[in-house]
Amino acid sequence: MADSAPAGRPLDSIDRAILRYLQEDGRASIRSVAERVHVSRANAYARINRLIEDGVIRGFTARVDHERAGHGASAYITLKIVQNSWRTVREKLLALPGVAHIALVSGDFDVLLLVHTPDNRSLRELVLTRIQAVPEVLSSRTLLVFEETDQVLDS
């Protein structure tokens, strides 16, 4: 769960353009960012540093094609958990292989996981043996992912 840090400064259209471009190419140089959003290199550098310092940019990472990386099965898994056990469950889920995203949510279930595994057999093992063995997990539901598309931040 995200820290309860104060909200950062409001983002303007240039900040949002910088974020969109960096989502497309996290390895972009300051010069190319500046050219793309029509500001000076110094301005682009200062804005990117501010976005990092304010926690808007949490890091830079590679976008992975999970199937090509040997993880041919992906699924969203919903969990119902024992009330007030979120922190304990989160720590146990973080230790599992293939867990890409964990969210505490509202609605008909409590936790939403995104997992990537080599194949359906591994996915079954993860769900039936590892996740359902967590004492605080009351029930689970698995939704297979047939196709994924990453979305770049809109302005």
Side-chain angles (χ1 to χ4, degrees):
M1 196 158 110
D3 293 348
S4 57
R9 291 168 269 208
L11 302 181
D12 63 17
S13 61
I14 294 172
D15 291 331
R16 287 190 298 274
I18 288 170
L19 291 173
R20 271 193 312 279
Y21 186 52
L22 289 175
Q23 282 184 304
E24 292 170 9
D25 182 3
R27 294 174 38 165
S29 67
I30 297 291
R31 187 187 78 209
S32 68
V33 171
E35 289 172 358
R36 179 86 177 255
V37 301
H38 310 293
V39 297
S40 70
R41 280 185 281 200
N43 189 339
Y45 182 80
R47 283 174 177 268
I48 291 170
N49 279 340
R50 180 179 52 81
L51 291 167
I52 292 169
E53 289 169 8
D54 286 353
V56 175
I57 295 176
R58 296 183 297 170
F60 296 88
T61 186
R63 292 187 344 215
V64 176
D65 181 316
H66 296 287
E67 193 167 353
R68 289 184 180 197
H71 289 116
S74 295
Y76 285 96
I77 302 169
T78 65
L79 305 177
K80 289 185 182 182
I81 61 173
V82 172
Q83 190 172 2
N84 297 321
S85 66
W86 162 241
R87 287 179 179 80
T88 301
V89 170
R90 179 183 57 196
E91 294 309 309
K92 291 176 181 177
L93 296 174
L94 283 169
L96 297 176
V99 173
H101 183 82
I102 304 171
L104 178 66
V105 298
S106 65
D108 294 337
F109 47 89
D110 304 308
V111 178
L112 179 66
L113 296 173
L114 172 60
V115 300
H116 304 288
T117 62
D119 51 37
N120 283 342
R121 183 179 300 239
S122 301
L123 178 59
R124 184 184 72 214
E125 168 71 17
L126 179 67
V127 174
L128 298 180
T129 304
R130 307 284 299 271
I131 292 173
Q132 290 185 355
V134 175
E136 297 85 359
V137 171
L138 301 173
S139 66
S140 69
R141 185 173 190 184
T142 303
L143 306 152
L144 291 176
V145 173
F146 296 126
E147 188 175 319
E148 293 181 273
T149 302
D150 289 334
Q151 175 66 22
V152 176
L153 180 70
D154 282 337
S155 51

